Amino acid sequence: MNIALIVTGGTNLGYGHITRSITFYKNAPQGISVYLFPIVKSCDYRLFPQDKNILFTTSFTDLINKINELSPEYIIWDTIDFDENTFFELKKICNKHVSISPAFRYMNQMNMVFSRNIEQTRESNVKYYLGMQYAIFNDACKFIPDEVYIKNLAKENLIIGISMGGGDAPNKTLKILEIISELKFPLTIWVLLGEGYNHSYQNLVDVINRNNRHEIILAKTNRSMWDILSNCNVAILAGGLMLVESVYAGLPSINIFEKKWHEKTAGNTFFDKKAAISIGNIDDAESFNRLNETLTCIRNKKSILLSMRENSKGIVDKLASNRIYNILMNNVEIEQDRMSF
């Protein structure tokens, strides 16, 4: 069975879709040939494994032609938007379309949607598979052992990791660093800068130089991200896949979202179970007050972090790709059985 997987991403769009699609691609079982079509800038080609089934296209026409040659059983989408004419040309080639993105312009054109958000807006005539059992995230994310987390939590300074995503187009990293550096108690702050961070490093350095009470380390990272975060007590995140990964890893997180719809697509599961904290939207000035209030609270009562870590256990696992592939294969078998009658 052939599957075409189309993904978009980059500095402005973010890198979460790319991370999810690569993970899904790598976990394809025997008997399924997945062809990954990244619609990205050439500078982001390096993010993908060198594999004959990863096909970079030169135009939408090239994409249509390549997928037409494959005659895929499914076209799977991991993107928010796409060129309208190309989308409907691909609908003519294949009649089974699936989204693994929590938001997509053409949701009403899908046959199936897999999303971690149980509050997903539902379209008629679309079959939904919702819940954390369908949360696909980076295979490089590892659970932080209890002895490692407790040892780091016992250190005098609160150790914070900041990760605002691979691109961070609005430069949330700088805003958050400026805000938390105002705290009067000493912090150790790891600032993780993703693949697409194109803002001025000097501005970050200037913040560091203004605040001698804190130890602030800048780290340009991708593969080693969880090696660094595993030494932190808490992470400040922008939601998205990093929120899912932090819950799996057992790292408490404080999440501040770029837009309201980002918070909506994150779902409430992690927050309802008190495995993570949401402080709202980055455009809301009160969110920054809540950020420093939250950090002050957990610094004075570190047992909050231990409770959050305990609450995170068992919410997500790494079997989402397998579950989705099994459903896709079963669906094809059912249709074949019907046709045999």
Side-chain angles (χ1 to χ4, degrees):
M1 180 168 73
N2 288 344
I3 290 176
L5 172 58
I6 299 172
V7 61
T8 64
T11 302
N12 293 323
L13 296 172
Y15 288 82
H17 297 279
I18 292 174
T19 298
R20 179 170 46 229
S21 287
I22 290 174
T23 300
F24 187 73
Y25 171 82
K26 286 181 175 178
N27 283 281
Q30 247 184 343
I32 295 183
S33 297
V34 180
Y35 295 83
L36 178 56
F37 293 89
I39 311 301
V40 297
K41 293 181 178 179
S42 57
C43 60
D44 288 324
Y45 286 5
R46 60 195 169 85
L47 299 176
F48 296 85
Q50 292 185 353
D51 195 303
K52 62 181 178 63
N53 283 12
I54 297 180
L55 306 172
F56 298 100
T57 54
T58 57
S59 65
F60 287 132
T61 300
D62 187 28
L63 174 69
I64 292 167
N65 290 338
K66 280 185 167 61
I67 292 181
N68 190 40
E69 290 172 9
L70 287 177
S71 298
E73 196 74 43
Y74 291 98
I75 295 179
I76 299 180
W77 299 86
D78 196 351
T79 180
I80 294 173
D81 200 358
F82 208 76
D83 177 74
E84 184 175 359
N85 290 335
T86 305
F87 177 82
F88 284 102
E89 282 300 313
L90 293 173
K91 284 279 286 184
K92 297 175 185 176
I93 294 171
C94 175
N95 63 2
K96 296 188 189 73
H97 288 252
V98 176
S99 173
I100 57 173
S101 171
F104 184 31
R105 177 184 173 187
Y106 301 107
M107 256 344 169
N108 63 343
Q109 298 291 326
M110 297 295 102
N111 299 86
M112 289 181 277
V113 171
F114 296 90
S115 171
R116 64 182 182 268
N117 182 13
I118 60 175
E119 298 168 2
Q120 184 92 31
T121 301
R122 302 191 183 210
E123 303 284 351
S124 59
N125 301 319
V126 180
K127 191 164 186 179
Y128 289 86
Y129 297 87
L130 307 178
M132 290 304 160
Q133 65 269 38
Y134 301 112
I136 307 168
F137 56 94
N138 194 345
D139 278 336
C141 176
K142 307 295 182 185
F143 178 74
I144 303 168
D146 289 341
E147 60 271 20
V148 172
Y149 187 79
I150 292 170
K151 179 182 177 182
N152 288 316
L153 192 61
K155 294 179 181 178
E156 183 178 355
N157 291 0
L158 194 65
I159 308 171
I160 298 171
I162 300 175
S163 179
M164 292 290 110
D168 189 16
N171 204 4
K172 302 183 291 292
T173 301
L174 177 62
K175 293 177 186 176
I176 287 169
L177 185 60
E178 288 174 335
I179 293 296
I180 68 172
S181 63
E182 295 173 2
L183 289 166
K184 301 304 181 185
F185 50 86
L187 302 168
T188 299
I189 306 169
W190 283 93
V191 183
L192 277 64
L193 306 175
E195 294 282 354
Y197 189 85
N198 294 321
H199 304 288
S200 169
Y201 278 39
Q202 186 58 49
N203 291 339
L204 298 172
V205 172
D206 290 344
V207 175
I208 294 171
N209 291 336
R210 290 198 302 266
N211 296 278
N212 293 329
R213 77 177 69 88
H214 306 305
E215 182 181 18
I216 305 174
I217 309 105
L218 304 182
K220 181 92 170 182
T221 180
N222 181 15
R223 291 183 300 275
S224 60
M225 178 181 296
W226 277 103
D227 293 334
I228 294 172
L229 287 175
S230 64
N231 294 308
C232 295
N233 306 146
V234 63
I236 301 172
L237 308 174
L241 281 188
M242 279 300 297
L243 167 57
V244 181
E245 292 179 20
S246 69
V247 170
Y248 177 82
L251 178 64
S253 66
I254 302 167
N255 294 266
I256 183 165
F257 296 88
E258 182 183 338
K259 298 175 182 176
K260 288 182 178 180
W261 73 266
H262 288 152
E263 184 173 12
K264 185 177 179 181
T265 57
N268 291 325
T269 301
F270 299 136
F271 310 125
D272 289 344
K273 292 182 179 291
K274 297 184 179 179
I277 296 170
S278 170
I279 56 171
N281 187 276
I282 202 162
D283 291 330
D284 179 4
E286 281 303 306
S287 295
F288 293 115
N289 292 332
R290 287 192 288 270
L291 175 58
N292 280 358
E293 287 169 3
T294 302
L295 289 172
T296 302
C297 182
I298 62 178
R299 188 255 186 179
N300 294 331
K301 190 176 179 182
K302 290 184 177 179
S303 60
I304 293 171
L305 296 175
L306 291 173
S307 295
M308 291 175 66
R309 179 174 160 83
E310 187 65 28
N311 294 338
S312 71
K313 292 180 179 178
I315 297 179
V316 291
D317 59 31
K318 289 189 174 181
L319 301 176
S321 296
N322 295 340
R323 293 186 183 103
I324 294 171
Y325 281 120
N326 286 335
I327 290 169
L328 297 179
M329 286 189 291
N330 289 339
N331 187 65
V332 168
E333 289 172 4
I334 290 169
E335 289 196 2
Q336 289 174 344
D337 288 342
R338 285 175 182 167
M339 290 177 64
S340 67
F341 286 105

